Short mmCIF file of all heavy atoms in Angstrom, two decimals:
data_model
loop_
_atom_site.label_atom_id
_atom_site.label_comp_id
_atom_site.label_asym_id
_atom_site.label_seq_id
_atom_site.Cartn_x
_atom_site.Cartn_y
_atom_site.Cartn_z
N THR A 326 98.98 115.54 86.50
CA THR A 326 98.13 116.64 87.04
C THR A 326 96.91 116.02 87.76
O THR A 326 96.05 115.28 87.33
CB THR A 326 97.70 117.52 85.96
OG1 THR A 326 98.74 118.09 85.31
CG2 THR A 326 97.05 118.72 86.63
N PHE A 327 96.96 116.17 89.17
CA PHE A 327 95.98 115.71 90.02
C PHE A 327 94.99 116.75 90.30
O PHE A 327 95.34 117.92 90.59
CB PHE A 327 96.60 115.14 91.35
CG PHE A 327 97.59 114.03 91.23
CD1 PHE A 327 98.91 114.22 91.12
CD2 PHE A 327 97.06 112.69 91.09
CE1 PHE A 327 99.73 113.18 90.86
CE2 PHE A 327 98.03 111.65 91.00
CZ PHE A 327 99.30 112.01 90.70
N ALA A 328 93.72 116.40 90.51
CA ALA A 328 92.78 117.22 91.19
C ALA A 328 93.10 117.35 92.58
O ALA A 328 93.41 116.35 93.30
CB ALA A 328 91.31 116.64 90.92
N ASN A 329 92.99 118.65 93.16
CA ASN A 329 93.51 118.75 94.52
C ASN A 329 92.37 119.48 95.34
O ASN A 329 92.68 120.13 96.34
CB ASN A 329 94.86 119.62 94.55
CG ASN A 329 95.46 119.55 95.77
OD1 ASN A 329 95.45 118.50 96.41
ND2 ASN A 329 96.18 120.55 96.09
N VAL A 330 91.17 119.32 94.93
CA VAL A 330 90.02 119.92 95.55
C VAL A 330 89.95 119.69 97.12
O VAL A 330 89.84 120.49 97.85
CB VAL A 330 88.74 119.63 94.87
CG1 VAL A 330 87.58 120.37 95.45
CG2 VAL A 330 88.81 120.19 93.45
N GLY A 331 90.06 118.34 97.36
CA GLY A 331 90.11 117.92 98.81
C GLY A 331 91.43 118.12 99.56
O GLY A 331 91.44 117.73 100.75
N GLY A 332 92.40 118.57 98.82
CA GLY A 332 93.67 118.69 99.53
C GLY A 332 94.50 117.37 99.65
O GLY A 332 95.45 117.39 100.48
N THR A 333 94.09 116.35 98.91
CA THR A 333 94.75 114.98 99.20
C THR A 333 96.31 115.01 98.74
O THR A 333 97.02 114.71 99.53
CB THR A 333 94.00 113.85 98.28
OG1 THR A 333 92.68 113.94 98.64
CG2 THR A 333 94.71 112.61 98.41
N ILE A 334 96.62 115.69 97.64
CA ILE A 334 97.96 115.81 97.28
C ILE A 334 98.80 116.74 98.04
O ILE A 334 99.89 116.55 98.49
CB ILE A 334 98.07 116.29 95.74
CG1 ILE A 334 97.29 115.20 94.94
CG2 ILE A 334 99.44 116.15 95.22
CD1 ILE A 334 97.61 113.76 95.04
N THR A 335 98.08 117.84 98.57
CA THR A 335 98.72 118.82 99.51
C THR A 335 99.09 118.07 100.72
O THR A 335 100.15 118.36 101.36
CB THR A 335 97.93 120.01 99.66
OG1 THR A 335 97.68 120.72 98.35
CG2 THR A 335 98.42 121.03 100.62
N THR A 336 98.22 117.28 101.19
CA THR A 336 98.41 116.62 102.39
C THR A 336 99.75 115.64 102.34
O THR A 336 100.53 115.62 103.31
CB THR A 336 97.24 115.74 102.83
OG1 THR A 336 96.13 116.50 103.06
CG2 THR A 336 97.51 114.93 104.18
N ILE A 337 99.88 114.93 101.15
CA ILE A 337 101.06 114.10 100.95
C ILE A 337 102.23 115.05 100.91
O ILE A 337 103.33 114.63 101.53
CB ILE A 337 100.84 113.24 99.63
CG1 ILE A 337 99.72 112.26 99.75
CG2 ILE A 337 102.12 112.60 99.28
CD1 ILE A 337 99.35 111.61 98.41
N LEU A 338 102.11 116.17 100.23
CA LEU A 338 103.33 116.98 100.18
C LEU A 338 103.70 117.59 101.53
O LEU A 338 104.93 117.66 101.83
CB LEU A 338 102.94 118.17 99.24
CG LEU A 338 102.84 117.88 97.73
CD1 LEU A 338 102.33 119.12 96.96
CD2 LEU A 338 104.20 117.36 97.17
N GLU A 339 102.76 117.79 102.44
CA GLU A 339 103.04 118.36 103.72
C GLU A 339 103.76 117.20 104.45
O GLU A 339 104.72 117.49 105.29
CB GLU A 339 101.73 118.73 104.36
CG GLU A 339 101.17 120.01 103.90
CD GLU A 339 99.86 120.25 104.53
OE1 GLU A 339 99.28 119.47 105.40
OE2 GLU A 339 99.35 121.43 104.21
N ILE A 340 103.35 116.01 104.36
CA ILE A 340 104.10 114.94 105.11
C ILE A 340 105.42 114.80 104.73
O ILE A 340 106.43 114.68 105.52
CB ILE A 340 103.35 113.48 104.87
CG1 ILE A 340 101.91 113.62 105.63
CG2 ILE A 340 104.15 112.39 105.39
CD1 ILE A 340 101.00 112.41 105.17
N VAL A 341 105.73 114.78 103.42
CA VAL A 341 107.08 114.78 102.85
C VAL A 341 107.89 115.85 103.20
O VAL A 341 109.13 115.76 103.55
CB VAL A 341 106.88 114.52 101.23
CG1 VAL A 341 108.37 114.77 100.60
CG2 VAL A 341 106.38 113.26 100.95
N ASN A 342 107.47 117.13 103.06
CA ASN A 342 108.09 118.32 103.41
C ASN A 342 108.52 118.49 104.91
O ASN A 342 109.40 119.34 105.09
CB ASN A 342 107.37 119.58 102.84
CG ASN A 342 107.35 119.56 101.32
OD1 ASN A 342 108.23 118.96 100.66
ND2 ASN A 342 106.39 120.26 100.82
N LYS A 343 107.80 117.75 105.72
CA LYS A 343 108.11 117.81 107.19
C LYS A 343 109.56 117.17 107.34
O LYS A 343 110.30 117.61 108.19
CB LYS A 343 107.12 117.14 108.07
CG LYS A 343 105.88 117.86 108.32
CD LYS A 343 104.96 117.22 109.17
CE LYS A 343 103.70 117.96 109.43
NZ LYS A 343 102.66 117.21 110.20
N PHE A 344 109.76 116.15 106.46
CA PHE A 344 111.13 115.52 106.62
C PHE A 344 112.23 116.23 105.80
O PHE A 344 113.30 116.29 106.38
CB PHE A 344 110.93 113.99 106.13
CG PHE A 344 112.31 113.20 106.00
CD1 PHE A 344 112.98 112.91 107.23
CD2 PHE A 344 112.93 112.95 104.78
CE1 PHE A 344 114.12 112.22 107.21
CE2 PHE A 344 114.13 112.32 104.82
CZ PHE A 344 114.71 111.91 106.02
N HIS A 345 111.93 116.64 104.64
CA HIS A 345 112.87 117.30 103.90
C HIS A 345 112.13 118.49 103.19
O HIS A 345 111.32 118.49 102.24
CB HIS A 345 113.27 116.37 102.76
CG HIS A 345 114.55 116.96 102.01
ND1 HIS A 345 114.38 117.77 100.99
CD2 HIS A 345 115.79 116.61 102.14
CE1 HIS A 345 115.52 118.04 100.41
NE2 HIS A 345 116.33 117.44 101.07
N THR A 346 112.52 119.74 103.82
CA THR A 346 111.78 120.95 103.43
C THR A 346 111.84 121.19 101.89
O THR A 346 112.92 121.09 101.23
CB THR A 346 112.42 122.20 104.23
OG1 THR A 346 112.45 121.87 105.57
CG2 THR A 346 111.60 123.48 103.97
N PHE A 347 110.65 121.57 101.37
CA PHE A 347 110.53 121.97 99.90
C PHE A 347 110.92 120.85 98.96
O PHE A 347 111.22 121.05 97.76
CB PHE A 347 111.34 123.14 99.53
CG PHE A 347 111.14 124.42 100.44
CD1 PHE A 347 111.96 124.99 101.28
CD2 PHE A 347 109.79 124.98 100.39
CE1 PHE A 347 111.63 126.10 101.84
CE2 PHE A 347 109.51 126.04 101.07
CZ PHE A 347 110.41 126.67 101.87
N ASN A 348 110.78 119.59 99.42
CA ASN A 348 111.01 118.53 98.58
C ASN A 348 110.00 118.30 97.52
O ASN A 348 110.26 117.97 96.37
CB ASN A 348 111.23 117.18 99.36
CG ASN A 348 111.40 116.02 98.37
OD1 ASN A 348 110.56 115.26 98.05
ND2 ASN A 348 112.70 115.70 98.06
N ASP A 349 108.76 118.39 97.96
CA ASP A 349 107.65 118.26 97.06
C ASP A 349 107.55 117.10 96.12
O ASP A 349 107.23 117.15 95.01
CB ASP A 349 107.45 119.64 96.17
CG ASP A 349 107.11 120.81 96.93
OD1 ASP A 349 106.54 120.75 98.00
OD2 ASP A 349 107.63 121.94 96.38
N LEU A 350 107.92 116.01 96.74
CA LEU A 350 107.92 114.59 96.19
C LEU A 350 108.98 114.51 94.96
O LEU A 350 108.94 113.60 94.24
CB LEU A 350 106.58 114.24 95.49
CG LEU A 350 105.50 114.00 96.46
CD1 LEU A 350 104.11 113.78 95.77
CD2 LEU A 350 105.77 112.84 97.36
N GLN A 351 110.03 115.29 95.01
CA GLN A 351 111.05 115.30 94.00
C GLN A 351 111.82 113.91 94.30
O GLN A 351 112.08 113.69 95.43
CB GLN A 351 112.07 116.43 94.37
CG GLN A 351 113.14 116.52 93.07
CD GLN A 351 113.94 117.64 93.24
OE1 GLN A 351 114.22 118.26 94.28
NE2 GLN A 351 114.35 118.29 92.07
N ARG A 352 111.96 113.26 93.12
CA ARG A 352 112.67 112.00 93.12
C ARG A 352 111.86 110.68 93.48
O ARG A 352 112.25 109.70 93.63
CB ARG A 352 114.08 111.82 93.97
CG ARG A 352 115.10 112.84 93.35
CD ARG A 352 116.39 112.59 94.01
NE ARG A 352 117.27 113.51 93.48
CZ ARG A 352 118.56 113.53 93.61
NH1 ARG A 352 119.09 112.51 94.45
NH2 ARG A 352 119.42 114.48 93.23
N ALA A 353 110.56 111.02 93.81
CA ALA A 353 109.67 109.88 94.08
C ALA A 353 109.49 109.07 92.69
O ALA A 353 109.51 109.67 91.66
CB ALA A 353 108.20 110.47 94.52
N GLU A 354 109.40 107.87 93.01
CA GLU A 354 109.30 106.91 91.73
C GLU A 354 107.95 106.86 91.36
O GLU A 354 106.90 106.48 92.02
CB GLU A 354 109.82 105.65 92.17
CG GLU A 354 111.35 105.59 92.55
CD GLU A 354 111.79 104.29 92.96
OE1 GLU A 354 110.97 103.20 93.05
OE2 GLU A 354 113.07 104.09 93.34
N VAL A 355 107.67 106.97 89.97
CA VAL A 355 106.36 106.88 89.29
C VAL A 355 106.46 105.64 88.41
O VAL A 355 107.29 105.67 87.47
CB VAL A 355 105.86 108.13 88.77
CG1 VAL A 355 104.55 107.78 87.94
CG2 VAL A 355 105.63 109.21 89.74
N THR A 356 105.61 104.64 88.45
CA THR A 356 105.60 103.58 87.47
C THR A 356 104.27 103.57 86.75
O THR A 356 103.19 103.63 87.38
CB THR A 356 105.78 102.17 88.24
OG1 THR A 356 107.10 102.13 88.99
CG2 THR A 356 105.89 101.01 87.24
N ARG A 357 104.41 103.45 85.50
CA ARG A 357 103.13 103.44 84.70
C ARG A 357 102.91 101.95 84.18
O ARG A 357 103.92 101.41 83.48
CB ARG A 357 103.26 104.34 83.39
CG ARG A 357 102.16 104.34 82.50
CD ARG A 357 102.51 105.21 81.35
NE ARG A 357 101.33 105.41 80.29
CZ ARG A 357 101.34 105.61 79.10
NH1 ARG A 357 102.62 105.47 78.52
NH2 ARG A 357 100.46 105.84 78.34
N ILE A 358 101.86 101.40 84.41
CA ILE A 358 101.63 100.03 84.07
C ILE A 358 100.47 99.99 83.07
O ILE A 358 99.44 100.68 83.27
CB ILE A 358 101.26 99.16 85.24
CG1 ILE A 358 102.38 99.13 86.40
CG2 ILE A 358 100.90 97.67 85.00
CD1 ILE A 358 102.00 98.73 87.68
N ARG A 359 100.65 99.16 81.90
CA ARG A 359 99.57 99.14 80.92
C ARG A 359 99.31 97.71 80.69
O ARG A 359 100.32 96.93 80.39
CB ARG A 359 99.94 99.84 79.73
CG ARG A 359 99.89 101.36 79.91
CD ARG A 359 100.34 102.11 78.72
NE ARG A 359 101.84 101.83 78.59
CZ ARG A 359 102.45 101.89 77.46
NH1 ARG A 359 101.85 102.23 76.34
NH2 ARG A 359 103.73 101.39 77.31
N THR A 360 98.06 97.33 80.77
CA THR A 360 97.67 95.97 80.39
C THR A 360 96.36 95.98 79.58
O THR A 360 95.68 97.03 79.42
CB THR A 360 97.53 95.10 81.61
OG1 THR A 360 97.30 93.78 81.26
CG2 THR A 360 96.42 95.50 82.54
N LEU A 361 95.87 94.80 79.11
CA LEU A 361 94.54 94.74 78.47
C LEU A 361 93.47 94.38 79.45
O LEU A 361 93.81 93.61 80.44
CB LEU A 361 94.66 93.85 77.22
CG LEU A 361 95.66 94.18 76.13
CD1 LEU A 361 95.80 93.19 75.03
CD2 LEU A 361 95.55 95.50 75.63
N ALA A 362 92.21 94.74 79.07
CA ALA A 362 91.13 94.33 79.95
C ALA A 362 90.99 92.93 80.06
O ALA A 362 90.66 92.37 81.18
CB ALA A 362 89.80 94.77 79.58
N GLN A 363 91.43 92.04 79.11
CA GLN A 363 91.31 90.57 79.21
C GLN A 363 92.11 89.84 80.16
O GLN A 363 91.88 88.78 80.63
CB GLN A 363 91.49 90.04 77.74
CG GLN A 363 92.91 90.22 77.31
CD GLN A 363 93.20 89.63 75.88
OE1 GLN A 363 92.76 88.44 75.69
NE2 GLN A 363 93.77 90.40 74.93
N PHE A 364 93.07 90.74 80.76
CA PHE A 364 94.14 90.16 81.71
C PHE A 364 93.85 90.69 83.08
O PHE A 364 94.65 90.37 83.96
CB PHE A 364 95.47 90.47 81.25
CG PHE A 364 95.82 89.88 79.79
CD1 PHE A 364 96.38 90.73 78.90
CD2 PHE A 364 95.65 88.64 79.61
CE1 PHE A 364 96.68 90.32 77.63
CE2 PHE A 364 95.88 88.10 78.36
CZ PHE A 364 96.41 88.89 77.48
N LEU A 365 92.79 91.47 83.38
CA LEU A 365 92.56 91.99 84.70
C LEU A 365 92.13 90.76 85.59
O LEU A 365 91.54 89.86 85.15
CB LEU A 365 91.38 93.02 84.67
CG LEU A 365 91.85 94.39 83.98
CD1 LEU A 365 90.60 95.29 84.03
CD2 LEU A 365 92.88 95.04 84.69
N ASP A 366 92.31 91.06 86.90
CA ASP A 366 91.86 90.00 87.85
C ASP A 366 90.34 89.95 87.81
O ASP A 366 89.56 90.64 87.53
CB ASP A 366 92.22 90.56 89.33
CG ASP A 366 93.82 90.68 89.48
OD1 ASP A 366 94.59 90.49 88.63
OD2 ASP A 366 94.12 90.89 90.83
N ASP A 367 90.13 88.55 88.01
CA ASP A 367 88.65 88.09 88.04
C ASP A 367 87.76 88.94 89.04
O ASP A 367 86.63 89.16 88.84
CB ASP A 367 88.48 86.61 88.36
CG ASP A 367 89.01 85.82 87.19
OD1 ASP A 367 88.98 86.24 85.99
OD2 ASP A 367 89.40 84.61 87.38
N ALA A 368 88.42 89.40 90.05
CA ALA A 368 87.73 90.09 91.15
C ALA A 368 87.15 91.33 90.73
O ALA A 368 86.17 91.97 91.33
CB ALA A 368 88.62 90.48 92.27
N ASN A 369 87.49 91.98 89.50
CA ASN A 369 86.94 93.13 88.93
C ASN A 369 85.54 93.00 88.46
O ASN A 369 84.94 93.98 88.04
CB ASN A 369 87.85 93.69 87.80
CG ASN A 369 89.22 94.22 88.31
OD1 ASN A 369 89.22 95.09 89.02
ND2 ASN A 369 90.29 93.43 87.97
N PHE A 370 85.21 91.70 88.16
CA PHE A 370 83.98 91.49 87.32
C PHE A 370 82.91 90.82 88.24
O PHE A 370 83.21 90.07 89.10
CB PHE A 370 84.33 90.71 86.08
CG PHE A 370 85.32 91.32 85.33
CD1 PHE A 370 86.75 90.93 85.46
CD2 PHE A 370 85.01 92.32 84.39
CE1 PHE A 370 87.67 91.67 84.72
CE2 PHE A 370 85.97 92.97 83.67
CZ PHE A 370 87.28 92.69 83.73
N THR A 371 81.60 90.90 87.67
CA THR A 371 80.52 90.19 88.40
C THR A 371 80.82 88.67 88.37
O THR A 371 81.22 88.18 87.39
CB THR A 371 79.29 90.57 87.67
OG1 THR A 371 79.15 91.89 87.51
CG2 THR A 371 78.06 89.91 88.34
N ASP A 372 80.39 88.07 89.47
CA ASP A 372 80.56 86.65 89.65
C ASP A 372 82.06 86.22 89.67
O ASP A 372 82.35 85.02 89.20
CB ASP A 372 79.82 85.81 88.69
CG ASP A 372 78.27 86.15 88.77
OD1 ASP A 372 77.76 86.45 89.86
OD2 ASP A 372 77.56 86.26 87.77
N ASN A 373 83.03 87.13 89.71
CA ASN A 373 84.42 86.85 89.69
C ASN A 373 84.78 86.05 88.50
O ASN A 373 85.48 85.19 88.49
CB ASN A 373 84.90 86.08 90.92
CG ASN A 373 84.80 86.82 92.15
OD1 ASN A 373 85.13 88.02 92.22
ND2 ASN A 373 84.48 86.19 93.34
N ASN A 374 84.27 86.59 87.36
CA ASN A 374 84.48 86.01 86.06
C ASN A 374 84.77 87.11 85.04
O ASN A 374 83.86 87.84 84.62
CB ASN A 374 83.37 85.19 85.62
CG ASN A 374 83.48 84.36 84.35
OD1 ASN A 374 84.68 84.10 84.00
ND2 ASN A 374 82.43 84.03 83.68
N ASN A 375 86.02 87.18 84.52
CA ASN A 375 86.43 88.00 83.42
C ASN A 375 85.87 87.67 82.15
O ASN A 375 86.23 86.60 81.60
CB ASN A 375 87.95 88.14 83.40
CG ASN A 375 88.46 89.15 82.49
OD1 ASN A 375 87.76 89.63 81.60
ND2 ASN A 375 89.75 89.68 82.63
N PRO A 376 84.89 88.42 81.64
CA PRO A 376 84.19 88.07 80.30
C PRO A 376 85.05 88.18 79.17
O PRO A 376 84.67 87.63 78.13
CB PRO A 376 83.02 88.93 80.34
CG PRO A 376 83.50 90.14 81.01
CD PRO A 376 84.46 89.68 82.11
N TYR A 377 86.18 88.83 79.39
CA TYR A 377 87.13 89.11 78.10
C TYR A 377 88.21 88.09 77.91
O TYR A 377 88.78 87.96 76.91
CB TYR A 377 87.68 90.41 78.19
CG TYR A 377 86.55 91.52 78.37
CD1 TYR A 377 86.47 92.21 79.47
CD2 TYR A 377 85.59 91.70 77.39
CE1 TYR A 377 85.50 93.14 79.56
CE2 TYR A 377 84.62 92.58 77.55
CZ TYR A 377 84.53 93.24 78.64
OH TYR A 377 83.51 94.34 78.75
N GLY A 378 88.56 87.29 79.05
CA GLY A 378 89.68 86.41 78.89
C GLY A 378 90.09 85.87 80.26
O GLY A 378 89.26 85.83 81.23
N THR A 379 91.37 85.52 80.40
CA THR A 379 91.77 84.91 81.72
C THR A 379 92.81 85.85 82.34
O THR A 379 93.78 86.42 81.79
CB THR A 379 92.61 83.61 81.32
OG1 THR A 379 91.72 82.80 80.55
CG2 THR A 379 93.03 82.92 82.59
N ALA A 380 92.55 86.03 83.69
CA ALA A 380 93.46 86.92 84.37
C ALA A 380 94.98 86.41 84.32
O ALA A 380 95.16 85.34 84.46
CB ALA A 380 93.00 86.90 85.88
N ASP A 381 95.77 87.35 84.01
CA ASP A 381 97.17 87.02 83.91
C ASP A 381 98.01 88.24 84.20
O ASP A 381 98.23 89.07 83.28
CB ASP A 381 97.52 86.42 82.52
CG ASP A 381 98.86 85.82 82.49
OD1 ASP A 381 99.76 86.20 83.31
OD2 ASP A 381 99.22 85.19 81.49
N PRO A 382 98.66 88.34 85.33
CA PRO A 382 99.45 89.49 85.78
C PRO A 382 100.73 89.74 84.96
O PRO A 382 101.42 90.69 85.14
CB PRO A 382 99.62 89.42 87.25
CG PRO A 382 99.50 88.04 87.58
CD PRO A 382 98.57 87.49 86.53
N THR A 383 101.08 88.66 84.30
CA THR A 383 102.40 88.80 83.58
C THR A 383 102.18 89.24 82.10
O THR A 383 103.29 89.64 81.57
CB THR A 383 102.94 87.31 83.35
OG1 THR A 383 102.17 86.49 82.51
CG2 THR A 383 103.30 86.65 84.73
N LYS A 384 100.97 89.51 81.79
CA LYS A 384 100.67 90.03 80.47
C LYS A 384 100.52 91.56 80.48
O LYS A 384 99.40 92.00 80.93
CB LYS A 384 99.36 89.41 79.87
CG LYS A 384 99.44 87.90 79.77
CD LYS A 384 100.34 87.57 78.50
CE LYS A 384 100.21 85.97 78.53
NZ LYS A 384 101.15 85.49 77.47
#
Side-chain angles (χ1 to χ4, degrees):
T326 304
F327 297 92
N329 196 30
V330 177
T333 305
I334 305 302
T335 296
T336 302
I337 295 170
L338 292 174
E339 287 174 357
I340 292 167
V341 168
N342 290 339
K343 280 183 185 175
F344 176 70
H345 190 279
T346 308
F347 302 117
N348 176 269
D349 291 333
L350 288 177
Q351 191 176 33
R352 295 189 183 192
E354 296 174 358
V355 176
T356 304
R357 181 186 187 212
I358 302 165
R359 291 169 299 154
T360 188
L361 301 178
Q363 63 181 314
F364 302 124
L365 289 177
D366 292 9
D367 289 334
N369 289 294
F370 303 96
T371 308
D372 300 326
N373 290 323
N374 182 27
N375 185 337
Y377 306 116
T379 304
D381 188 346
T383 65
K384 303 288 186 183

